[in-house]
Amino acid sequence: MAHVFRAALRCALGSGLLLAPALAHAEEAQAGAASCPAERAVYTLPSEEGDIHASFIPARHWPSAASDLYFKLTTPRRDYWFSFAVSNGYSGITLLPVGNPYDPAAEDGGPASLLPETESPEDQDAELELLAKLRFLPLDANLMVAENPPSAGQEAPPYLMTPELGEALWYDVAMLTPDPEAEADSMPRGAFRITGCLAEAPAKAWP
């Protein structure tokens, strides 16, 4: 899957239209991130249908070996929740869709995974295709990609990119939310920029 990640990174970061606004705000974002831990950071991606927000939500324990934070995406339609996975080698960080970790049902074993069951080669192909769209790129002020997602207490990255998540929200939304009536969601391809720092971190989620 490394070639998929490299191709997505070249596509997302190679466009001057995406980099120009990010560079224009680099100093501002760096100053904001320097005094903001990841679990208090608020990120915004402008959209014609309404701004899309992202944040890191602390867990009581580690929902994955990669981070003790969840990634929460909020569109005008609904919230989406993810834990993190980090692959060996060059493949990078991947978002893993899960249910709401604040739900009481998540208290014992954590939120349910929303990845499709892989009972056949076709199911495995569907899972790999979805995961290829869920790459997560935390960027520093120089637009360099971090190797790992942040954990609680660490400095918030000034920028975040999820280059193919918009495609997944449009074509595969049923695999990103437990809502059985969910319809395709719209998200432009661009960089989230840190736009605020909460006075207090959100309450810790399960598990």
Side-chain angles (χ1 to χ4, degrees):
M1 294 173 62
H3 68 286
V4 177
F5 172 68
R6 290 195 294 268
L9 180 59
R10 285 196 299 269
C11 177
L13 297 182
S15 169
L17 292 177
L18 292 180
L19 294 182
L23 289 172
H25 294 286
E27 257 183 47
E28 177 186 343
Q30 185 178 28
S35 60
C36 188
E39 68 271 25
R40 289 167 45 198
V42 178
Y43 295 85
T44 303
L45 174 65
S47 171
E48 292 182 359
E49 297 186 8
D51 288 350
I52 298 172
H53 298 284
S55 57
F56 297 105
I57 304 299
R60 296 170 183 264
H61 304 287
W62 288 63
S64 74
S67 176
D68 59 353
L69 300 172
Y70 289 101
F71 181 67
K72 180 184 179 183
L73 180 77
T74 301
T75 72
R77 288 181 179 267
R78 65 183 65 86
D79 293 332
Y80 300 90
W81 295 90
F82 304 88
S83 61
F84 294 102
V86 178
S87 302
N88 294 326
Y90 196 73
S91 116
I93 307 167
T94 301
L95 297 172
L96 303 179
V98 296
N100 185 343
Y102 285 118
D103 192 303
E107 180 174 353
D108 290 333
S113 170
L114 301 182
L115 288 175
E117 306 236 344
T118 55
E119 298 179 353
S120 68
E122 291 77 15
D123 293 335
Q124 293 177 3
D125 290 342
E127 181 180 277
L128 290 174
E129 184 178 350
L130 176 64
L131 291 174
K133 300 174 186 176
L134 299 181
R135 296 303 186 184
F136 178 81
L137 309 176
L139 305 172
D140 66 16
N142 296 316
L143 304 182
M144 299 298 291
V145 180
E147 294 182 358
N148 297 291
S151 291
Q154 294 181 353
E155 181 178 317
Y159 306 103
L160 307 173
M161 287 196 73
T162 54
E164 309 302 330
L165 181 54
E167 181 181 352
L169 289 171
W170 189 256
Y171 292 109
D172 307 300
V173 70
M175 291 189 277
L176 302 180
T177 173
D179 181 359
E181 299 181 359
E183 297 179 353
D185 214 339
S186 177
M187 187 178 95
R189 183 176 291 167
F192 285 89
R193 181 168 60 91
I194 188 169
T195 53
C197 187
L198 301 174
E200 296 184 1
K204 291 185 177 181
W206 303 111

